[in-house]
């Protein structure tokens, strides 16, 4: 049985390990350290309005994680849930877990406090597998500018 659920402190080391695996597999512009992931988890714990971590649990095992970040949009008149990172371990990919997370967030079923006015996510340009999934789910590319 697989389910996405809010992360708890006992999940932290699994999340750190998977985050480092994500960044080794699909590196962003800047490298991510274990200390940086621990800091993110600490901030989410201390300031839950900023965001939260969720884990994909399969048969009692952490098989994936996502960082969900809050963003208030004046333009849309509500809270946007940004999927800042999502990772599923290779042996659990292609089974609909990413789709299940996005659908769960869209319906407002409890992983996020309330139903967000929009979902946003980030992907590196070269991550074709993720981008294909996101397009199937109805996401479109949006160009951002980094200063």
């Amino acid at each position: 049985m697989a389910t996405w659920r809010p992360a708890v402190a006992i999940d932290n080391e699994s999340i750190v390990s998977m985050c480092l695996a994500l960044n080794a597999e699909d590196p962003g512009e800047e490298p991510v350290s274990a200390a940086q992931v621990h800091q993110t988890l600490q901030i989410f714990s201390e300031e839950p309005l900023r965001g939260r971590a969720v884990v994909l649990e399969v048969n009692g095992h952490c098989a994936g994680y996502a960082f969900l970040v809050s963003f208030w949009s004046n333009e849309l008149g509500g809270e946007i849930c940004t999927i800042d990172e999502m990772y599923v371990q290779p042996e659990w990919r292609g089974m609909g877990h990413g789709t299940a997370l996005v659908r769960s967030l869209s319906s407002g079923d409890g992983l996020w406090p309330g139903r967000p006015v929009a979902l946003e996510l980030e992907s590196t340009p070269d991550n074709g597998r993720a981008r294909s999934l996101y397009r199937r789910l109805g996401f479109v590319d949006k160009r951002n500018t980094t200063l």
Side-chain angles (χ1 to χ4, degrees):
M1 172 101 168
T3 187
W4 287 96
R5 63 165 175 79
V8 294
I10 199 166
D11 299 320
N12 285 0
E13 291 309 315
S14 292
I15 292 170
V16 170
S17 176
M18 289 185 286
C19 186
L20 296 176
L22 167 65
N23 284 278
E25 188 176 310
D26 185 28
E29 292 181 21
E30 298 291 328
V32 174
S33 68
Q36 188 173 338
V37 182
H38 280 290
Q39 181 181 18
T40 296
L41 292 167
Q42 181 178 347
I43 292 295
F44 285 172
S45 175
E46 293 171 358
E47 302 177 43
L49 291 177
R50 287 184 176 259
R52 62 183 54 191
V54 295
V55 294
L56 171 64
E57 186 173 301
V58 180
N59 302 324
H61 171 74
C62 286
Y65 82 97
F67 286 156
L68 310 176
V69 179
S70 177
F71 176 120
W72 182 268
S73 171
N74 181 59
E75 179 182 358
L76 297 178
E79 189 174 39
I80 294 173
C81 174
T82 301
I83 304 170
D84 184 51
E85 294 183 6
M86 179 170 56
Y87 178 81
V88 174
Q89 292 178 345
E91 63 268 27
W92 299 106
R93 292 179 188 166
M95 298 179 185
H97 301 305
T99 299
L101 176 62
V102 170
R103 288 190 177 145
S104 173
L105 293 169
S106 296
S107 70
D109 78 351
L111 287 175
W112 191 251
R115 187 170 184 237
V117 296
L119 291 176
E120 182 176 81
L121 52 86
E122 296 182 356
S123 170
T124 58
D126 295 332
N127 191 336
R129 184 180 177 100
R131 294 171 68 80
S132 176
L133 166 66
Y134 302 146
R135 285 189 185 106
R136 281 195 314 273
L137 293 171
F139 288 90
V140 295
D141 289 344
K142 175 182 169 185
R143 296 208 181 267
N144 289 343
T145 302
T146 304
L147 300 176

